[in-house]
Amino acid sequence: MSNPNYQPVIRTPDQRLRVFVSSTLQELAEERSAAREAIAKLRLAPVMFELGARPHPPRELYRAYLDQSHIFIGIYWQRYGWIAPGETLSGLEDEYRLSDDRPKLIYIKAPAPEREPRLKELLDQVRSDDRASYKPFTTAAELRELIENDLALLLTERFEAAQPVEIDAAPATPRRRHNLPAPPTRMIGREAELATARELLLRNDVNLLTMTGPGGAGKTRLAIEAASGLCDHFAEGVFFVALAPTREPNLVPAVIAQTLDVRETIGGQPVLEALKEYLRNKRMLLLLDNFEQVVSAAPLIGELLEACPHLKVLVTSRVTLRLRGEKDLPIPPLALPDRTQPLAMASLSQYAAVQLFIQRALEVNADFTVTNATAPAIAEICQRLDGLPLAIELAAARTKVLSPQALLARLERRLEMLRGGPRDLPVRQQTLRDAIGWSYDLLDEPAQKLFRRLSIFVNGWTLEAAEEVCNAAGDLDVDVLDEMEALLDNSLLYSSESQGELRFAMLGTIHEFAYERLVESGEERALRWCHAGYFLELAEAAEPHLLGAARQLWIERLEIEHDNLRAVLAWSRTPPGDLETGLRIAGAIRWFWFFRGYLSEGRNWLESMLAGWVDTEALIGLEPYRAKALGASGGLAWTQGDMEIARVRLEESIALYREIGDQARLAQMLMFRGLWQLSAGNLTAARDQLEESLRMLHTVGEKWLEAFGLDLLGDAIAMSGDLAEARSRYEQSLTIFKALNDTWGIGLALNSLAGIAWFQDDHGRACELYSQSVALAREVGDRWTVVRPLLGLLDASWHQGDFSQAKALAVETLTLCRDLGALSGLLLSLGGAAGLFTARNRPDVAARLLGASDALGDRIGFVTFALDRLRTERNLAEARARLEEAAFKAAWVEGQALTPDQAIDYALREVERV
């Protein structure tokens, strides 16, 4: 049968369709290779300029090839391409213009921070061409998949109608009957979940698979993708059943029947029985979407599966069906960049959450680019949105009018910001609030009450905390555990295990929704008091254990609850909060802040609590808490090298404890003042106060503090030059700490004994002891105390010729002190690193670092301890001996002019060069 509109075309010898690929050559070499593979996989012929006959003039060549091609593919990134002499267009744009009415598949690579203006103009033309399909991509592998899928779709649905050419291509697999919605965009990420879903649905022992997850997690999209790849495995088809509009569970069979065109006859079988009869021998997959609001219809699905042995059901829901044989596949958020790791722009695209943001941003703003300036903001946006696909898509839509930095600044109120999704989505998916509200509305009243009350917690809670805080008034009249299980089932909570205990939490976006409901309920004020009381009790229970063998267990527990403790501290210092609660918590967890290296944060909290008492009468009865906070603030100030503030706070604490008559606390403060005197170089005063403190501590039986004081006394004695007597005090300290089984204290004493070994030139023994001390400090997570043994190990390492380890240790100590904001530690690190440079014949660098260390010591009034000072003096003598006096003085002066940040940066740069 002839067709009057038929136009003959030039055929390739193998009679295959020809696909012309247009792109720049060098910058897209990998992508061109991927395109060639995708085209060849479908048994089509790739037509690529670099494969052609080179002797022909270029324009004539690509014109000829275009004339003989059936489909045009354009791949564009940053370059517009070469413009031949006498021409006004590049070959790239000319090829696009010459493609005429051929089907066009256009792919635009992102990010493209250096896209040339002429290419931007061309892409604007492409987007206005209704004959062209264009999509963004980020990697060659992604492009390969896009081209393969788009060509397959074009061949099956468009090409025959657009150009009725008789071809003898490989016979296509017959398309199975299905009604799956065509996804408007390519799915990003989810490779593991997709593979798992398909593998489970093909297993003989699985006939029901439920994808669960919170609203906006992308369950429907993933389920459609999984089902679409299984059409060939179900002879009678794959069918999508939309249950979102259905609220009546008894109507579920009717909705399924309507989808399958199974009609109930008047006076005939009930619809469920008609369905069973219809499906009994059929190999079919049903995708039941949004089952959560009709979950009580689950037994009906169970009946259907029991009656139909070849039927399989894929369900998306925020709650499982709880049927026998059901497989639950939780759908987690998309992969996110790790906040603890440095962010590199080049690695952004490996994270699915970031890929999704970029792709959706390009769809609404073709000029969207990722740069070094915007990359951190994009990563932070995705993290703030918990990797939820719906939230990310709604945020990316805002890039039409907001830069990533501006968008990030507005995300403090996420739910207000994330609205205005595509109009062809269900209403509940057009804003994130509606998506979460969909789940909330399905809860009964007690579950709703508990859900909103749980938002008082920050970053998680235990079952015990939920019972104590959320039902303090006993008004829930339900079992909290049962209700939390219901919230878990509805994907409004998630659980994880920490320290052998189950913890619960909400995603940030869900937490914000729940907190809004709490404020609306009028219950927030009373709940704040319950929350504060619970964590005050926890802090004061932890306090006595922070100086003992159980320290690590309690430190970890406080670390887990740190965000809750911060929330209580913030509440307590602002009316109508309770300042006493904040003062007591801050004093109780002072050692936690020290051991974990939260030096600045701890000082800020303590000072804000101390500053809040403008009414002295209100302090009556609270003097012990105030004295404790004063001493804690002074101790942390000393750690950071803020010597004058440390002196003032310690003196205030001592005076208050003398007034109260608390001998044990007074002895502790006298010990800290002795430590301050030691750091200031006042050896006689330091030794007197430390010995007085030790007598008092021995009397009151404070063994841990006595062991600590002995170590400090050893430092004072060592600074006077008596190393043998100092070692005796260190050994006494070690004996007590071992008796107490205190890991931190043992590490402290070992560090001191390692210093003695080092100065006796026993570097092997020193290295062994320093290594043990470092390991013990790391075991307890002490980021401050680990600095001194790290420096000792650094010194011992280069003395033994292990310069690789010495370099790594220098970088670690310098970076650690910078991160902690510990000026006293930085002073030690600069002086300690100097030895590495003298050993590597860079005395000029050593002299600069020693000059910077000396200037910093003068500025903060800090004198290094005996063993650290002796090490610095040796390094100084060695650097001076290796340089001419004028060169040494010049380098010293240059070092003294450096700020602490400049000194760190300089030291780190030079370490990399030795």
Side-chain angles (χ1 to χ4, degrees):
M1 185 175 179
S2 62
N3 184 338
N5 297 319
Y6 173 79
Q7 296 294 325
V9 298
I10 300 174
R11 300 286 195 70
T12 60
D14 61 359
Q15 300 293 294
R16 291 186 296 167
L17 292 180
R18 298 166 64 87
V19 182
F20 186 93
V21 179
S22 173
S23 74
T24 49
L25 301 184
Q26 293 181 347
E27 71 165 351
L28 291 168
E30 186 179 357
E31 286 74 10
R32 290 173 69 84
S33 177
R36 183 187 302 115
E37 293 171 9
I39 296 166
K41 186 174 180 180
L42 293 172
R43 296 189 64 185
L44 306 178
V47 179
M48 312 186 80
F49 178 66
E50 73 268 31
L51 300 181
R54 292 289 182 174
H56 289 270
R59 194 163 194 265
E60 293 180 14
L61 179 65
Y62 62 70
R63 272 182 176 273
Y65 271 71
L66 263 170
D67 286 344
Q68 299 180 52
S69 299
H70 306 99
I71 301 171
F72 178 88
I73 287 181
I75 307 172
Y76 308 116
W77 189 18
Q78 302 196 114
R79 303 289 170 255
Y80 175 68
W82 180 65
I83 302 176
E87 299 289 345
T88 59
L89 303 175
S90 70
L92 197 72
E93 181 169 354
D94 196 30
E95 287 172 351
Y96 177 78
R97 291 174 178 269
L98 292 170
S99 63
D100 297 327
D101 58 353
R102 290 173 180 78
K104 301 182 189 68
L105 302 176
I106 308 301
Y107 304 95
I108 304 170
K109 184 173 181 178
E114 300 177 0
R115 182 168 289 153
E116 294 176 348
R118 289 290 298 273
L119 181 57
K120 287 184 179 180
E121 293 175 9
L122 173 59
L123 294 182
D124 287 339
Q125 296 176 37
V126 171
R127 281 185 284 272
S128 63
D129 186 347
D130 58 9
R131 299 165 299 174
S133 163
Y134 68 92
K135 295 182 179 179
F137 73 95
T138 55
T139 65
E142 183 184 332
L143 176 66
R144 183 187 302 110
E145 181 183 350
L146 282 173
I147 292 176
E148 185 179 333
N149 292 339
D150 291 346
L151 283 174
L153 180 65
L154 181 65
L155 289 172
T156 55
E157 294 185 356
R158 292 179 56 187
F159 191 81
E160 290 179 1
Q163 187 172 319
V165 178
E166 297 178 9
I167 60 172
D168 189 19
T173 303
R175 294 180 64 195
R176 301 299 183 186
R177 187 164 166 251
H178 71 80
N179 71 335
L180 294 172
T185 57
R186 183 181 64 85
M187 191 174 72
I188 293 175
R190 304 298 191 201
E191 290 82 3
E193 293 88 353
L194 182 61
T196 299
R198 288 176 175 171
E199 185 270 330
L200 286 170
L201 287 168
L202 292 176
R203 276 172 41 180
N204 292 331
D205 62 332
V206 176
N207 62 3
L208 173 60
L209 175 65
T210 304
M211 292 182 177
T212 57
K219 301 181 294 294
T220 299
R221 181 67 181 84
L222 177 59
I224 291 171
E225 193 76 20
S228 67
L230 297 176
C231 291
D232 291 341
H233 296 274
F234 293 91
E236 278 75 36
V238 176
F239 290 89
F240 178 89
V241 181
L243 293 174
T246 307
R247 288 300 183 113
E248 296 297 327
N250 61 339
L251 292 179
V252 170
V255 175
I256 297 173
Q258 182 180 5
T259 302
L260 299 178
D261 201 24
V262 175
R263 301 186 181 278
E264 182 178 9
T265 58
I266 297 175
Q269 295 175 310
V271 67
L272 180 60
E273 295 304 316
L275 269 178
K276 290 178 185 178
E277 188 65 32
Y278 176 77
L279 294 170
R280 194 173 308 278
N281 296 310
K282 287 184 169 58
R283 296 184 180 277
M284 184 181 290
L285 173 65
L286 293 181
L287 196 174
L288 308 183
D289 187 45
N290 290 112
F291 205 88
E292 56 268 5
Q293 82 281 2
V294 289
V295 71
S296 59
L300 302 178
I301 303 304
E303 282 189 47
L304 204 57
L305 288 169
E306 188 174 353
C308 309
H310 303 301
L311 176 67
K312 296 198 180 231
V313 175
L314 172 60
V315 173
T316 70
S317 177
R318 301 180 196 184
V319 57
T320 58
L321 276 61
R322 294 191 176 184
L323 295 176
R324 286 179 301 166
E326 178 183 21
K327 293 290 184 182
D328 179 21
L329 180 59
I331 307 304
L334 293 173
L336 290 164
D338 186 347
R339 276 193 171 97
T340 65
Q341 300 299 319
L343 177 67
M345 190 178 81
S347 64
L348 266 183
S349 61
Q350 69 178 294
Y351 301 103
V354 177
Q355 285 183 40
L356 179 63
F357 183 93
I358 294 172
Q359 295 284 12
R360 299 300 179 259
L362 283 167
E363 288 169 11
V364 299
N365 178 10
D367 293 327
F368 181 81
T369 58
V370 182
T371 66
N372 286 324
T374 60
I378 292 171
E380 182 65 20
I381 287 168
C382 294
Q383 288 161 339
R384 292 270 191 98
L385 299 178
D386 306 307
L388 281 176
L390 175 58
I392 291 169
E393 291 189 352
L394 292 172
R398 296 286 181 170
T399 58
K400 194 169 185 178
V401 293
L402 293 172
S403 69
Q405 296 93 325
L407 178 58
L408 177 60
R410 291 172 179 245
L411 277 181
E412 290 302 319
R413 294 290 295 166
R414 281 170 285 206
L415 296 181
E416 289 299 322
M417 192 69 197
L418 304 180
R419 58 187 178 186
R423 292 188 178 90
D424 58 347
L425 285 176
V427 173
R428 61 187 173 81
Q429 290 182 1
Q430 290 184 30
T431 75
L432 193 58
R433 176 179 278 107
D434 290 334
I436 301 168
W438 174 263
S439 289
Y440 179 74
D441 291 342
L442 296 175
L443 301 174
D444 58 23
E445 196 276 334
Q448 289 183 348
K449 184 182 289 188
L450 178 61
F451 171 67
R452 64 178 180 255
R453 289 182 180 182
L454 288 170
S455 69
I456 203 70
F457 294 103
V458 182
N459 200 22
W461 62 89
T462 63
L463 174 61
E464 175 196 16
E467 291 173 332
E468 291 289 327
V469 175
C470 296
N471 199 23
D475 62 337
L476 279 180
D477 297 325
V478 293
D479 187 291
V480 171
L481 176 59
D482 289 345
E483 292 303 314
M484 281 182 49
E485 188 174 5
L487 296 175
L488 282 166
D489 285 344
N490 282 276
S491 301
L492 291 169
L493 306 182
Y494 66 90
S495 63
S496 60
E497 189 172 314
S498 179
Q499 289 188 302
E501 186 174 38
L502 202 61
R503 286 183 64 79
F504 305 87
M506 300 176 185
L507 295 174
T509 45
I510 294 176
H511 184 274
E512 184 175 329
F513 177 92
Y515 184 69
E516 286 181 354
R517 304 288 83 73
L518 178 65
V519 172
E520 290 171 0
S521 73
E523 299 171 332
E524 182 198 9
R525 183 167 183 172
L527 214 59
R528 284 286 175 203
W529 282 91
C530 298
H531 182 256
Y534 179 85
F535 286 101
L536 171 61
E537 189 175 316
L538 172 66
E540 294 187 333
E543 182 179 7
H545 298 287
L546 296 178
L547 300 181
R551 173 191 301 104
Q552 190 60 22
L553 178 67
W554 283 91
I555 282 179
E556 291 299 331
R557 186 167 181 189
L558 291 176
E559 184 70 71
I560 291 169
E561 300 293 5
H562 200 187
D563 286 329
N564 278 305
L565 290 163
R566 287 167 171 147
V568 176
L569 289 169
W571 164 82
S572 68
R573 67 183 180 185
T574 305
D578 180 44
L579 196 55
E580 177 185 340
T581 296
L583 184 68
R584 290 169 64 180
I585 288 178
I589 64 174
R590 63 198 184 282
W591 282 101
F592 162 72
W593 282 326
F594 171 80
F595 287 129
R596 281 299 198 199
Y598 296 116
L599 308 181
S600 296
E601 179 179 354
R603 284 184 68 190
N604 290 337
W605 284 122
L606 287 159
E607 287 296 324
S608 67
M609 297 306 157
L610 290 167
W613 297 96
V614 293
D615 182 1
T616 54
E617 289 188 8
L619 282 169
I620 297 174
L622 300 179
E623 293 86 356
Y625 303 121
R626 181 172 174 80
K628 188 191 299 182
L630 286 166
S633 182
L636 292 177
W638 171 86
T639 303
Q640 290 193 298
D642 198 341
M643 296 291 285
E644 181 56 24
I645 294 296
R647 183 192 66 78
V648 171
R649 287 294 183 241
L650 290 172
E651 294 291 354
E652 289 175 333
S653 180
I654 288 170
L656 198 48
Y657 275 129
R658 287 193 193 278
E659 182 181 324
I660 296 168
D662 187 333
Q663 294 298 299
R665 299 289 188 190
L666 175 60
Q668 183 177 342
M669 289 302 105
L670 287 172
M671 181 177 66
F672 287 144
R673 189 171 67 177
L675 173 61
W676 185 93
Q677 298 283 15
L678 188 64
S679 304
N682 305 325
L683 297 186
T684 301
R687 187 161 182 173
D688 289 345
Q689 288 174 18
L690 288 169
E691 288 177 339
E692 178 187 3
S693 171
L694 282 167
R695 287 192 296 271
M696 295 173 68
L697 290 169
H698 185 73
T699 300
V700 298
E702 289 279 2
K703 301 301 292 183
W704 190 93
L705 289 169
E706 183 180 353
F708 187 37
L710 282 166
D711 188 84
L712 295 178
L713 182 59
D715 288 337
I717 294 170
M719 288 180 77
S720 67
D722 191 345
L723 296 184
E725 179 65 17
R727 180 169 59 189
S728 175
R729 294 291 188 266
Y730 294 147
E731 288 173 343
Q732 287 179 301
S733 174
L734 179 61
T735 299
I736 297 175
F737 278 132
K738 282 185 174 179
L740 295 173
N741 193 29
D742 187 275
T743 302
W744 182 88
I746 293 170
L748 179 74
L750 289 176
N751 173 68
S752 300
L753 289 169
I756 297 292
W758 191 92
F759 281 102
Q760 293 175 338
D761 292 323
D762 188 353
H763 298 301
R765 177 63 175 160
C767 197
E768 177 186 349
L769 292 173
Y770 280 133
S771 296
Q772 292 177 28
S773 179
V774 167
L776 292 172
R778 283 178 169 156
E779 182 180 326
V780 299
D782 184 351
R783 300 178 68 218
W784 159 246
T785 309
V786 76
V787 170
R788 292 182 69 200
L790 279 172
L791 286 169
L793 188 58
L794 184 163
D795 209 279
S797 296
W798 68 256
H799 267 89
Q800 292 187 304
D802 191 346
F803 293 104
S804 176
Q805 175 167 283
K807 285 179 61 174
L809 291 167
V811 170
E812 181 176 359
T813 52
L814 289 162
T815 305
L816 180 59
C817 291
R818 178 181 61 190
D819 293 346
L820 290 174
L823 294 179
S824 55
L826 177 56
L827 181 154
L828 297 175
S829 298
L830 292 171
L836 173 62
F837 291 100
T838 56
R840 300 301 280 176
N841 200 30
R842 293 294 309 278
D844 57 320
V845 177
R848 290 187 188 93
L849 296 184
L850 289 163
S853 177
D854 180 73
L856 181 56
D858 287 344
R859 173 184 150 193
I860 66 177
F862 188 93
V863 177
T864 53
F865 290 172
L867 304 180
D868 302 303
R869 186 177 65 183
L870 290 172
R871 182 183 296 115
T872 300
E873 287 175 352
R874 284 193 182 186
N875 292 338
L876 179 60
E878 185 69 22
R880 188 185 292 273
R882 295 190 181 205
L883 285 170
E884 296 289 338
E885 185 62 22
F888 175 82
K889 286 183 178 179
W892 178 270
V893 170
E894 289 171 4
Q896 289 209 311
L898 296 174
T899 66
D901 284 338
Q902 289 171 337
I904 292 175
D905 291 341
Y906 173 71
L908 290 171
R909 284 198 306 271
E910 294 301 325
V911 166
E912 292 301 318
R913 297 175 183 174
V914 299

